[in-house]
Amino acid sequence: MDARFLGIPELAEAPSVAVVVDVMRAFTVAAWAFAQGAEKIVLAESPDEALALKARHPEWVALKDGPPAPGFDAVNSPGLLRSLDLGGRTVVQKTTAGTVGALAVKGASLVLCASFVVAEATARLLRSRDRDGVTFVVTGEDGRADEDLACAQYIALRAAGAGTDAADFLRRAGASRAAHELAEGIRQGVHPDDVALCLELDRFPFAMVATLEDSLMVLRPYAVPSPTDAGVR
């Protein structure tokens, strides 16, 4: 598989297949939201759009980066989100990097959003689609975030069928600037378990596919059959 690893500013045009990686914390949070029962996640372009969507749909759950803010129901923390019952709910998510990266490739034929917690399911979906060229969008730090690059490289190797040990990739992510800032409380809206939760490899059995629905970029879980369960979607 021909894999490219680009930061958001390097995206000159929409790729055919894009895997948008945000480990700490957007797409770890998104996976947790689905695990807590969310039906779908709307990726908002701005805090104002998120609040406008929430105003039109009061039953939706709006979350953002940073500390709690008026109008938002939650913050972008897996440790805090895991206690919420999101059964059947729609979540509106706006983050600094992850949602920006997904919206930047909304013209791609296939957009996957990924982190370590859904790494293997993401790789299996790429293998099942038999795609030769995949662009991995490394969202953090304009493409320099090592936690996102490590995750992207790991998924690319697994998608190519390589029997890859995840330990070094997880170690890199754990030593990243983002992990340090979360662990030291430099970032706001953080739970003490956030870093550990972001480094849980393959916690969830689904991939996450983003598509345009009525002009909104909507993320949904996608059950990917394991090699021993090929009869299940």
Side-chain angles (χ1 to χ4, degrees):
M1 184 184 71
D2 179 21
R4 297 191 304 161
F5 304 91
L6 301 178
I8 296 171
E10 299 173 288
L11 293 167
E13 58 185 21
S16 174
V17 178
V19 179
V20 187
V21 181
D22 190 325
V23 172
M24 297 184 186
R25 292 164 289 172
F27 298 138
T28 300
V29 166
W32 269 99
F34 291 130
Q36 295 302 104
E39 177 185 352
K40 63 183 179 181
I41 298 173
V42 177
L43 305 177
E45 291 190 4
S46 67
D48 286 345
E49 183 189 31
L51 290 174
L53 288 166
K54 171 73 175 179
R56 292 202 297 272
H57 305 277
E59 73 280 8
W60 287 10
V61 177
L63 67 85
K64 62 178 281 295
D65 273 338
F72 286 90
D73 306 290
V75 296
N76 192 48
S77 159
L80 295 172
L81 195 76
R82 64 183 170 174
S83 64
L84 298 181
D85 179 5
L86 299 174
R89 307 285 293 277
T90 293
V91 173
V92 181
Q93 185 180 32
K94 171 66 183 89
T95 69
T96 305
T99 59
V100 175
L103 290 164
V105 293
K106 62 184 178 182
S109 61
L110 176 64
V111 178
L112 306 180
C113 295
S115 61
F116 280 112
V117 297
V118 293
E120 184 61 26
T122 303
R124 285 205 309 270
L125 180 53
L126 290 171
R127 289 199 301 270
S128 73
R129 298 295 178 94
D130 194 24
R131 304 287 186 165
D132 291 331
V134 178
T135 296
F136 289 85
V137 183
V138 180
T139 60
E141 301 176 38
D142 290 336
R144 298 185 300 275
D146 202 36
E147 75 280 4
D148 294 339
L149 181 58
C151 183
Q153 290 170 337
Y154 175 73
I155 293 172
L157 288 169
R158 294 296 299 135
T164 306
D165 186 350
D168 185 56
F169 299 94
L170 291 168
R171 180 196 59 75
R172 285 169 52 193
S176 67
R177 174 181 170 181
H180 171 74
E181 291 180 350
L182 290 172
E184 296 300 318
I186 296 171
R187 300 187 185 189
Q188 295 182 292
V190 177
H191 187 278
D193 293 341
D194 278 357
V195 173
L197 292 172
C198 289
L199 299 179
E200 285 192 330
L201 184 68
D202 303 331
R203 174 159 189 143
F204 304 115
F206 51 81
M208 299 187 293
V209 180
T211 56
L212 283 171
E213 299 181 16
D214 298 326
S215 79
L216 296 175
M217 196 67 166
V218 176
L219 189 63
R220 295 181 185 272
Y222 187 96
V224 184
S226 68
T228 58
D229 191 21
V232 179
R233 180 189 173 204

